[in-house]
PDB file of all heavy atoms in Angstrom:
ATOM      1  N   GLU A1458    -226.235  76.894 -55.226  1.00 92.00           N
ATOM      2  CA  GLU A1458    -227.319  77.801 -55.550  1.00 92.00           C
ATOM      3  C   GLU A1458    -227.923  77.316 -56.822  1.00 92.00           C
ATOM      4  O   GLU A1458    -227.409  77.025 -57.824  1.00 92.00           O
ATOM      5  CB  GLU A1458    -226.760  79.202 -55.757  1.00 92.00           C
ATOM      6  CG  GLU A1458    -227.890  80.252 -56.094  1.00 92.00           C
ATOM      7  CD  GLU A1458    -227.399  81.626 -56.384  1.00 92.00           C
ATOM      8  OE1 GLU A1458    -226.857  81.901 -57.585  1.00 92.00           O
ATOM      9  OE2 GLU A1458    -227.331  82.414 -55.512  1.00 92.00           O
ATOM     10  N   ASN A1459    -229.242  77.087 -56.814  1.00 92.00           N
ATOM     11  CA  ASN A1459    -230.026  76.662 -57.956  1.00 92.00           C
ATOM     12  C   ASN A1459    -229.913  75.217 -58.404  1.00 92.00           C
ATOM     13  O   ASN A1459    -230.684  74.744 -59.262  1.00 92.00           O
ATOM     14  CB  ASN A1459    -229.903  77.545 -59.181  1.00 92.00           C
ATOM     15  CG  ASN A1459    -230.336  78.991 -58.879  1.00 92.00           C
ATOM     16  OD1 ASN A1459    -231.190  79.314 -58.068  1.00 92.00           O
ATOM     17  ND2 ASN A1459    -229.693  79.965 -59.513  1.00 92.00           N
ATOM     18  N   GLY A1460    -229.027  74.530 -57.819  1.00 91.00           N
ATOM     19  CA  GLY A1460    -228.892  73.159 -58.082  1.00 91.00           C
ATOM     20  C   GLY A1460    -228.503  72.573 -59.343  1.00 91.00           C
ATOM     21  O   GLY A1460    -229.037  71.513 -59.723  1.00 91.00           O
ATOM     22  N   TYR A1461    -227.757  73.333 -60.106  1.00 93.00           N
ATOM     23  CA  TYR A1461    -227.276  72.823 -61.436  1.00 93.00           C
ATOM     24  C   TYR A1461    -226.325  71.712 -61.247  1.00 93.00           C
ATOM     25  O   TYR A1461    -225.497  71.745 -60.251  1.00 93.00           O
ATOM     26  CB  TYR A1461    -226.698  73.923 -62.204  1.00 93.00           C
ATOM     27  CG  TYR A1461    -227.614  74.944 -62.743  1.00 93.00           C
ATOM     28  CD1 TYR A1461    -228.001  76.101 -61.992  1.00 93.00           C
ATOM     29  CD2 TYR A1461    -228.362  74.647 -63.925  1.00 93.00           C
ATOM     30  CE1 TYR A1461    -228.935  77.009 -62.569  1.00 93.00           C
ATOM     31  CE2 TYR A1461    -229.374  75.680 -64.401  1.00 93.00           C
ATOM     32  CZ  TYR A1461    -229.544  76.831 -63.662  1.00 93.00           C
ATOM     33  OH  TYR A1461    -230.569  77.693 -64.076  1.00 93.00           O
ATOM     34  N   GLN A1462    -226.288  70.621 -62.115  1.00 92.00           N
ATOM     35  CA  GLN A1462    -225.466  69.530 -61.864  1.00 92.00           C
ATOM     36  C   GLN A1462    -224.694  69.210 -63.164  1.00 92.00           C
ATOM     37  O   GLN A1462    -225.056  69.482 -64.324  1.00 92.00           O
ATOM     38  CB  GLN A1462    -226.363  68.269 -61.577  1.00 92.00           C
ATOM     39  CG  GLN A1462    -226.979  68.395 -60.213  1.00 92.00           C
ATOM     40  CD  GLN A1462    -227.784  67.191 -59.855  1.00 92.00           C
ATOM     41  OE1 GLN A1462    -227.801  66.818 -58.671  1.00 92.00           O
ATOM     42  NE2 GLN A1462    -228.546  66.586 -60.820  1.00 92.00           N
ATOM     43  N   ALA A1463    -223.504  68.587 -62.966  1.00 92.00           N
ATOM     44  CA  ALA A1463    -222.733  68.041 -64.043  1.00 92.00           C
ATOM     45  C   ALA A1463    -222.125  66.705 -63.562  1.00 92.00           C
ATOM     46  O   ALA A1463    -222.128  66.427 -62.413  1.00 92.00           O
ATOM     47  CB  ALA A1463    -221.516  68.947 -64.391  1.00 92.00           C
ATOM     48  N   TYR A1464    -221.797  65.859 -64.398  1.00 92.00           N
ATOM     49  CA  TYR A1464    -221.472  64.383 -64.199  1.00 92.00           C
ATOM     50  C   TYR A1464    -220.141  63.958 -64.842  1.00 92.00           C
ATOM     51  O   TYR A1464    -219.807  64.378 -65.923  1.00 92.00           O
ATOM     52  CB  TYR A1464    -222.602  63.500 -64.721  1.00 92.00           C
ATOM     53  CG  TYR A1464    -224.092  63.863 -64.251  1.00 92.00           C
ATOM     54  CD1 TYR A1464    -224.847  64.642 -64.993  1.00 92.00           C
ATOM     55  CD2 TYR A1464    -224.441  63.481 -62.965  1.00 92.00           C
ATOM     56  CE1 TYR A1464    -226.091  65.081 -64.536  1.00 92.00           C
ATOM     57  CE2 TYR A1464    -225.728  63.823 -62.547  1.00 92.00           C
ATOM     58  CZ  TYR A1464    -226.490  64.736 -63.393  1.00 92.00           C
ATOM     59  OH  TYR A1464    -227.796  64.948 -62.796  1.00 92.00           O
ATOM     60  N   ILE A1465    -219.409  63.057 -64.150  1.00 92.00           N
ATOM     61  CA  ILE A1465    -218.257  62.424 -64.616  1.00 92.00           C
ATOM     62  C   ILE A1465    -218.495  60.972 -64.605  1.00 92.00           C
ATOM     63  O   ILE A1465    -218.742  60.353 -63.422  1.00 92.00           O
ATOM     64  CB  ILE A1465    -217.013  62.871 -63.822  1.00 92.00           C
ATOM     65  CG1 ILE A1465    -216.879  64.409 -63.812  1.00 92.00           C
ATOM     66  CG2 ILE A1465    -215.833  62.222 -64.408  1.00 92.00           C
ATOM     67  CD1 ILE A1465    -217.478  64.972 -62.578  1.00 92.00           C
ATOM     68  N   ASN A1466    -218.414  60.261 -65.641  1.00 89.00           N
ATOM     69  CA  ASN A1466    -218.502  58.812 -65.616  1.00 89.00           C
ATOM     70  C   ASN A1466    -217.087  58.212 -65.468  1.00 89.00           C
ATOM     71  O   ASN A1466    -216.192  58.493 -66.182  1.00 89.00           O
ATOM     72  CB  ASN A1466    -219.107  58.243 -66.990  1.00 89.00           C
ATOM     73  CG  ASN A1466    -220.551  58.708 -67.125  1.00 89.00           C
ATOM     74  OD1 ASN A1466    -221.361  58.700 -66.170  1.00 89.00           O
ATOM     75  ND2 ASN A1466    -220.876  59.153 -68.339  1.00 89.00           N
ATOM     76  N   VAL A1467    -216.921  57.399 -64.401  1.00 89.00           N
ATOM     77  CA  VAL A1467    -215.641  56.914 -63.964  1.00 89.00           C
ATOM     78  C   VAL A1467    -215.618  55.368 -64.093  1.00 89.00           C
ATOM     79  O   VAL A1467    -216.537  54.668 -63.661  1.00 89.00           O
ATOM     80  CB  VAL A1467    -215.243  57.207 -62.575  1.00 89.00           C
ATOM     81  CG1 VAL A1467    -213.910  56.789 -62.125  1.00 89.00           C
ATOM     82  CG2 VAL A1467    -215.338  58.793 -62.411  1.00 89.00           C
ATOM     83  N   THR A1468    -214.584  54.923 -64.782  1.00 85.00           N
ATOM     84  CA  THR A1468    -214.382  53.494 -64.901  1.00 85.00           C
ATOM     85  C   THR A1468    -213.037  53.195 -64.272  1.00 85.00           C
ATOM     86  O   THR A1468    -211.948  53.779 -64.554  1.00 85.00           O
ATOM     87  CB  THR A1468    -214.289  53.088 -66.401  1.00 85.00           C
ATOM     88  OG1 THR A1468    -215.486  53.303 -67.052  1.00 85.00           O
ATOM     89  CG2 THR A1468    -213.907  51.517 -66.434  1.00 85.00           C
ATOM     90  N   VAL A1469    -213.053  52.346 -63.321  1.00 84.00           N
ATOM     91  CA  VAL A1469    -211.847  51.928 -62.505  1.00 84.00           C
ATOM     92  C   VAL A1469    -211.426  50.497 -63.000  1.00 84.00           C
ATOM     93  O   VAL A1469    -212.305  49.611 -63.054  1.00 84.00           O
ATOM     94  CB  VAL A1469    -212.076  51.946 -61.009  1.00 84.00           C
ATOM     95  CG1 VAL A1469    -210.790  51.533 -60.294  1.00 84.00           C
ATOM     96  CG2 VAL A1469    -212.366  53.337 -60.558  1.00 84.00           C
ATOM     97  N   TYR A1470    -210.172  50.287 -63.317  1.00 77.00           N
ATOM     98  CA  TYR A1470    -209.656  48.976 -63.872  1.00 77.00           C
ATOM     99  C   TYR A1470    -208.519  48.484 -62.964  1.00 77.00           C
ATOM    100  O   TYR A1470    -207.885  49.257 -62.176  1.00 77.00           O
ATOM    101  CB  TYR A1470    -209.312  49.065 -65.322  1.00 77.00           C
ATOM    102  CG  TYR A1470    -208.306  50.067 -65.617  1.00 77.00           C
ATOM    103  CD1 TYR A1470    -206.931  49.685 -65.609  1.00 77.00           C
ATOM    104  CD2 TYR A1470    -208.705  51.297 -66.034  1.00 77.00           C
ATOM    105  CE1 TYR A1470    -205.950  50.642 -65.945  1.00 77.00           C
ATOM    106  CE2 TYR A1470    -207.595  52.295 -66.352  1.00 77.00           C
ATOM    107  CZ  TYR A1470    -206.296  51.866 -66.309  1.00 77.00           C
ATOM    108  OH  TYR A1470    -205.321  52.728 -66.649  1.00 77.00           O
ATOM    109  N   ASN A1471    -208.293  47.294 -63.137  1.00 73.00           N
ATOM    110  CA  ASN A1471    -207.134  46.524 -62.314  1.00 73.00           C
ATOM    111  C   ASN A1471    -205.849  47.078 -62.917  1.00 73.00           C
ATOM    112  O   ASN A1471    -205.470  46.688 -64.125  1.00 73.00           O
ATOM    113  CB  ASN A1471    -207.227  45.120 -62.400  1.00 73.00           C
ATOM    114  CG  ASN A1471    -206.158  44.347 -61.645  1.00 73.00           C
ATOM    115  OD1 ASN A1471    -205.278  45.002 -61.053  1.00 73.00           O
ATOM    116  ND2 ASN A1471    -206.125  43.126 -61.670  1.00 73.00           N
ATOM    117  N   SER A1472    -205.117  47.815 -62.156  1.00 64.00           N
ATOM    118  CA  SER A1472    -203.797  48.371 -62.700  1.00 64.00           C
ATOM    119  C   SER A1472    -202.710  47.351 -62.779  1.00 64.00           C
ATOM    120  O   SER A1472    -201.700  47.602 -63.385  1.00 64.00           O
ATOM    121  CB  SER A1472    -203.368  49.485 -61.761  1.00 64.00           C
ATOM    122  OG  SER A1472    -203.149  49.015 -60.392  1.00 64.00           O
ATOM    123  N   GLY A1473    -202.962  46.118 -62.336  1.00 63.00           N
ATOM    124  CA  GLY A1473    -201.918  45.087 -62.322  1.00 63.00           C
ATOM    125  C   GLY A1473    -201.859  44.311 -63.669  1.00 63.00           C
ATOM    126  O   GLY A1473    -201.024  43.532 -63.912  1.00 63.00           O
ATOM    127  N   SER A1474    -202.693  44.698 -64.757  1.00 63.00           N
ATOM    128  CA  SER A1474    -202.737  43.977 -65.809  1.00 63.00           C
ATOM    129  C   SER A1474    -202.765  44.996 -67.050  1.00 63.00           C
ATOM    130  O   SER A1474    -203.362  45.983 -66.988  1.00 63.00           O
ATOM    131  CB  SER A1474    -204.026  43.170 -66.037  1.00 63.00           C
ATOM    132  OG  SER A1474    -204.109  42.635 -67.187  1.00 63.00           O
ATOM    133  N   ASN A1475    -202.008  44.524 -68.098  1.00 69.00           N
ATOM    134  CA  ASN A1475    -202.013  45.368 -69.177  1.00 69.00           C
ATOM    135  C   ASN A1475    -202.876  44.609 -70.498  1.00 69.00           C
ATOM    136  O   ASN A1475    -202.688  44.990 -71.605  1.00 69.00           O
ATOM    137  CB  ASN A1475    -200.453  45.592 -69.717  1.00 69.00           C
ATOM    138  CG  ASN A1475    -199.845  46.457 -68.734  1.00 69.00           C
ATOM    139  OD1 ASN A1475    -200.432  47.374 -68.183  1.00 69.00           O
ATOM    140  ND2 ASN A1475    -198.610  46.157 -68.476  1.00 69.00           N
ATOM    141  N   ALA A1476    -203.468  43.556 -70.157  1.00 74.00           N
ATOM    142  CA  ALA A1476    -204.148  42.721 -71.194  1.00 74.00           C
ATOM    143  C   ALA A1476    -205.265  43.471 -71.714  1.00 74.00           C
ATOM    144  O   ALA A1476    -206.012  44.388 -70.991  1.00 74.00           O
ATOM    145  CB  ALA A1476    -204.657  41.418 -70.643  1.00 74.00           C
ATOM    146  N   HIS A1477    -205.512  43.365 -73.028  1.00 82.00           N
ATOM    147  CA  HIS A1477    -206.707  43.868 -73.603  1.00 82.00           C
ATOM    148  C   HIS A1477    -207.801  42.869 -73.729  1.00 82.00           C
ATOM    149  O   HIS A1477    -207.575  41.707 -73.883  1.00 82.00           O
ATOM    150  CB  HIS A1477    -206.333  44.445 -75.077  1.00 82.00           C
ATOM    151  CG  HIS A1477    -205.383  45.551 -74.923  1.00 82.00           C
ATOM    152  ND1 HIS A1477    -205.742  46.770 -74.662  1.00 82.00           N
ATOM    153  CD2 HIS A1477    -203.961  45.531 -75.175  1.00 82.00           C
ATOM    154  CE1 HIS A1477    -204.624  47.651 -74.577  1.00 82.00           C
ATOM    155  NE2 HIS A1477    -203.558  46.822 -74.957  1.00 82.00           N
ATOM    156  N   VAL A1478    -209.084  43.490 -73.866  1.00 84.00           N
ATOM    157  CA  VAL A1478    -210.200  42.559 -74.102  1.00 84.00           C
ATOM    158  C   VAL A1478    -210.141  41.901 -75.422  1.00 84.00           C
ATOM    159  O   VAL A1478    -209.981  42.531 -76.456  1.00 84.00           O
ATOM    160  CB  VAL A1478    -211.535  43.384 -73.879  1.00 84.00           C
ATOM    161  CG1 VAL A1478    -212.753  42.506 -74.189  1.00 84.00           C
ATOM    162  CG2 VAL A1478    -211.574  43.923 -72.452  1.00 84.00           C
ATOM    163  N   GLU A1479    -210.535  40.630 -75.474  1.00 83.00           N
ATOM    164  CA  GLU A1479    -210.449  39.848 -76.764  1.00 83.00           C
ATOM    165  C   GLU A1479    -211.900  39.347 -77.045  1.00 83.00           C
ATOM    166  O   GLU A1479    -212.245  39.168 -78.298  1.00 83.00           O
ATOM    167  CB  GLU A1479    -209.577  38.596 -76.620  1.00 83.00           C
ATOM    168  CG  GLU A1479    -208.065  38.914 -76.366  1.00 83.00           C
ATOM    169  CD  GLU A1479    -207.182  37.718 -76.187  1.00 83.00           C
ATOM    170  OE1 GLU A1479    -207.609  36.628 -76.728  1.00 83.00           O
ATOM    171  OE2 GLU A1479    -205.982  38.012 -75.627  1.00 83.00           O
ATOM    172  N   LYS A1480    -212.665  39.172 -75.985  1.00 85.00           N
ATOM    173  CA  LYS A1480    -214.069  38.570 -76.380  1.00 85.00           C
ATOM    174  C   LYS A1480    -215.031  39.058 -75.230  1.00 85.00           C
ATOM    175  O   LYS A1480    -214.546  39.140 -74.211  1.00 85.00           O
ATOM    176  CB  LYS A1480    -214.049  37.017 -76.579  1.00 85.00           C
ATOM    177  CG  LYS A1480    -215.310  36.463 -76.995  1.00 85.00           C
ATOM    178  CD  LYS A1480    -215.062  34.969 -77.217  1.00 85.00           C
ATOM    179  CE  LYS A1480    -216.368  34.244 -77.732  1.00 85.00           C
ATOM    180  NZ  LYS A1480    -216.851  34.875 -79.081  1.00 85.00           N
ATOM    181  N   VAL A1481    -216.328  39.209 -75.672  1.00 86.00           N
ATOM    182  CA  VAL A1481    -217.492  39.496 -74.622  1.00 86.00           C
ATOM    183  C   VAL A1481    -218.449  38.512 -74.846  1.00 86.00           C
ATOM    184  O   VAL A1481    -218.884  38.181 -75.993  1.00 86.00           O
ATOM    185  CB  VAL A1481    -217.848  40.856 -74.805  1.00 86.00           C
ATOM    186  CG1 VAL A1481    -218.966  41.250 -74.010  1.00 86.00           C
ATOM    187  CG2 VAL A1481    -216.771  41.924 -74.507  1.00 86.00           C
ATOM    188  N   TRP A1482    -219.028  38.023 -73.608  1.00 82.00           N
ATOM    189  CA  TRP A1482    -220.306  37.197 -73.656  1.00 82.00           C
ATOM    190  C   TRP A1482    -221.329  37.916 -72.883  1.00 82.00           C
ATOM    191  O   TRP A1482    -221.008  38.715 -71.966  1.00 82.00           O
ATOM    192  CB  TRP A1482    -219.974  35.819 -73.094  1.00 82.00           C
ATOM    193  CG  TRP A1482    -219.075  34.876 -73.768  1.00 82.00           C
ATOM    194  CD1 TRP A1482    -219.283  34.120 -74.854  1.00 82.00           C
ATOM    195  CD2 TRP A1482    -217.670  34.792 -73.488  1.00 82.00           C
ATOM    196  NE1 TRP A1482    -218.156  33.394 -75.157  1.00 82.00           N
ATOM    197  CE2 TRP A1482    -217.127  33.932 -74.378  1.00 82.00           C
ATOM    198  CE3 TRP A1482    -216.822  35.493 -72.630  1.00 82.00           C
ATOM    199  CZ2 TRP A1482    -215.766  33.521 -74.472  1.00 82.00           C
ATOM    200  CZ3 TRP A1482    -215.472  35.063 -72.591  1.00 82.00           C
ATOM    201  CH2 TRP A1482    -214.961  34.093 -73.560  1.00 82.00           C
ATOM    202  N   VAL A1483    -222.617  37.503 -73.160  1.00 82.00           N
ATOM    203  CA  VAL A1483    -223.695  38.007 -72.203  1.00 82.00           C
ATOM    204  C   VAL A1483    -224.488  36.849 -71.918  1.00 82.00           C
ATOM    205  O   VAL A1483    -224.634  35.809 -72.620  1.00 82.00           O
ATOM    206  CB  VAL A1483    -224.557  39.069 -72.901  1.00 82.00           C
ATOM    207  CG1 VAL A1483    -223.787  40.246 -73.020  1.00 82.00           C
ATOM    208  CG2 VAL A1483    -225.081  38.626 -74.257  1.00 82.00           C
ATOM    209  N   ASN A1484    -225.217  36.884 -70.641  1.00 77.00           N
ATOM    210  CA  ASN A1484    -226.087  35.842 -70.229  1.00 77.00           C
ATOM    211  C   ASN A1484    -227.364  36.567 -69.661  1.00 77.00           C
ATOM    212  O   ASN A1484    -227.171  37.383 -68.764  1.00 77.00           O
ATOM    213  CB  ASN A1484    -225.466  34.921 -69.300  1.00 77.00           C
ATOM    214  CG  ASN A1484    -226.262  33.814 -68.761  1.00 77.00           C
ATOM    215  OD1 ASN A1484    -227.039  33.232 -69.556  1.00 77.00           O
ATOM    216  ND2 ASN A1484    -226.417  33.568 -67.433  1.00 77.00           N
ATOM    217  N   PRO A1485    -228.614  36.270 -70.139  1.00 78.00           N
ATOM    218  CA  PRO A1485    -228.919  35.281 -71.237  1.00 78.00           C
ATOM    219  C   PRO A1485    -228.705  35.966 -72.625  1.00 78.00           C
ATOM    220  O   PRO A1485    -228.576  37.091 -72.696  1.00 78.00           O
ATOM    221  CB  PRO A1485    -230.269  34.996 -70.994  1.00 78.00           C
ATOM    222  CG  PRO A1485    -230.865  36.188 -70.390  1.00 78.00           C
ATOM    223  CD  PRO A1485    -229.784  36.776 -69.544  1.00 78.00           C
ATOM    224  N   THR A1486    -228.785  35.162 -73.711  1.00 83.00           N
ATOM    225  CA  THR A1486    -228.715  35.685 -75.087  1.00 83.00           C
ATOM    226  C   THR A1486    -230.107  35.890 -75.612  1.00 83.00           C
ATOM    227  O   THR A1486    -230.184  36.703 -76.580  1.00 83.00           O
ATOM    228  CB  THR A1486    -227.877  34.793 -76.009  1.00 83.00           C
ATOM    229  OG1 THR A1486    -228.521  33.495 -75.862  1.00 83.00           O
ATOM    230  CG2 THR A1486    -226.492  34.628 -75.476  1.00 83.00           C
ATOM    231  N   THR A1487    -231.099  35.241 -75.087  1.00 85.00           N
ATOM    232  CA  THR A1487    -232.498  35.560 -75.425  1.00 85.00           C
ATOM    233  C   THR A1487    -233.325  35.701 -74.182  1.00 85.00           C
ATOM    234  O   THR A1487    -232.987  35.022 -73.144  1.00 85.00           O
ATOM    235  CB  THR A1487    -233.028  34.444 -76.298  1.00 85.00           C
ATOM    236  OG1 THR A1487    -233.019  33.289 -75.615  1.00 85.00           O
ATOM    237  CG2 THR A1487    -232.313  34.433 -77.582  1.00 85.00           C
ATOM    238  N   VAL A1488    -234.312  36.530 -74.160  1.00 86.00           N
ATOM    239  CA  VAL A1488    -235.159  36.579 -72.971  1.00 86.00           C
ATOM    240  C   VAL A1488    -236.489  37.281 -73.440  1.00 86.00           C
ATOM    241  O   VAL A1488    -236.655  37.930 -74.388  1.00 86.00           O
ATOM    242  CB  VAL A1488    -234.577  37.564 -71.940  1.00 86.00           C
ATOM    243  CG1 VAL A1488    -234.530  39.019 -72.428  1.00 86.00           C
ATOM    244  CG2 VAL A1488    -235.320  37.531 -70.593  1.00 86.00           C
ATOM    245  N   THR A1489    -237.655  36.828 -72.606  1.00 85.00           N
ATOM    246  CA  THR A1489    -238.968  37.347 -72.887  1.00 85.00           C
ATOM    247  C   THR A1489    -239.411  38.102 -71.561  1.00 85.00           C
ATOM    248  O   THR A1489    -239.323  37.546 -70.453  1.00 85.00           O
ATOM    249  CB  THR A1489    -239.957  36.315 -73.214  1.00 85.00           C
ATOM    250  OG1 THR A1489    -239.621  35.611 -74.499  1.00 85.00           O
ATOM    251  CG2 THR A1489    -241.348  36.885 -73.386  1.00 85.00           C
ATOM    252  N   LEU A1490    -239.929  39.225 -71.726  1.00 86.00           N
ATOM    253  CA  LEU A1490    -240.294  40.103 -70.561  1.00 86.00           C
ATOM    254  C   LEU A1490    -241.754  40.564 -70.938  1.00 86.00           C
ATOM    255  O   LEU A1490    -242.222  40.722 -71.890  1.00 86.00           O
ATOM    256  CB  LEU A1490    -239.396  41.360 -70.478  1.00 86.00           C
ATOM    257  CG  LEU A1490    -237.940  41.200 -70.206  1.00 86.00           C
ATOM    258  CD1 LEU A1490    -237.261  42.633 -70.222  1.00 86.00           C
ATOM    259  CD2 LEU A1490    -237.779  40.642 -68.933  1.00 86.00           C
ATOM    260  N   ALA A1491    -242.348  40.836 -69.731  1.00 87.00           N
ATOM    261  CA  ALA A1491    -243.710  41.499 -69.775  1.00 87.00           C
ATOM    262  C   ALA A1491    -243.451  42.981 -69.717  1.00 87.00           C
ATOM    263  O   ALA A1491    -242.379  43.447 -69.432  1.00 87.00           O
ATOM    264  CB  ALA A1491    -244.521  40.976 -68.506  1.00 87.00           C
ATOM    265  N   ILE A1492    -244.378  43.763 -70.056  1.00 89.00           N
ATOM    266  CA  ILE A1492    -244.336  45.190 -69.855  1.00 89.00           C
ATOM    267  C   ILE A1492    -244.147  45.532 -68.418  1.00 89.00           C
ATOM    268  O   ILE A1492    -244.777  45.063 -67.605  1.00 89.00           O
ATOM    269  CB  ILE A1492    -245.534  45.940 -70.547  1.00 89.00           C
ATOM    270  CG1 ILE A1492    -245.780  45.655 -71.969  1.00 89.00           C
ATOM    271  CG2 ILE A1492    -245.489  47.427 -70.191  1.00 89.00           C
ATOM    272  CD1 ILE A1492    -247.066  46.137 -72.528  1.00 89.00           C
ATOM    273  N   ASN A1493    -243.087  46.408 -68.233  1.00 87.00           N
ATOM    274  CA  ASN A1493    -242.705  46.834 -66.908  1.00 87.00           C
ATOM    275  C   ASN A1493    -241.838  45.813 -66.154  1.00 87.00           C
ATOM    276  O   ASN A1493    -241.443  46.058 -64.986  1.00 87.00           O
ATOM    277  CB  ASN A1493    -243.864  47.288 -66.041  1.00 87.00           C
ATOM    278  CG  ASN A1493    -244.602  48.503 -66.600  1.00 87.00           C
ATOM    279  OD1 ASN A1493    -243.976  49.332 -67.298  1.00 87.00           O
ATOM    280  ND2 ASN A1493    -245.891  48.567 -66.260  1.00 87.00           N
ATOM    281  N   GLN A1494    -241.661  44.673 -66.639  1.00 86.00           N
ATOM    282  CA  GLN A1494    -240.761  43.676 -65.984  1.00 86.00           C
ATOM    283  C   GLN A1494    -239.367  43.936 -66.353  1.00 86.00           C
ATOM    284  O   GLN A1494    -239.037  44.569 -67.386  1.00 86.00           O
ATOM    285  CB  GLN A1494    -241.196  42.194 -66.504  1.00 86.00           C
ATOM    286  CG  GLN A1494    -240.418  41.192 -65.600  1.00 86.00           C
ATOM    287  CD  GLN A1494    -240.865  39.717 -66.109  1.00 86.00           C
ATOM    288  OE1 GLN A1494    -241.428  39.626 -67.175  1.00 86.00           O
ATOM    289  NE2 GLN A1494    -240.593  38.765 -65.328  1.00 86.00           N
TER     290      GLN A1494
END
Side-chain angles (χ1 to χ4, degrees):
E1458 181 182 84
N1459 295 333
Y1461 288 96
Q1462 297 183 137
Y1464 306 95
I1465 307 99
N1466 296 315
V1467 180
T1468 298
V1469 179
Y1470 59 89
N1471 182 0
S1472 60
S1474 171
N1475 294 320
H1477 293 285
V1478 173
E1479 298 178 17
K1480 188 174 180 62
V1481 174
W1482 296 272
V1483 290
N1484 182 42
T1486 55
T1487 60
V1488 66
T1489 298
L1490 296 175
I1492 296 173
N1493 296 333
Q1494 189 179 16

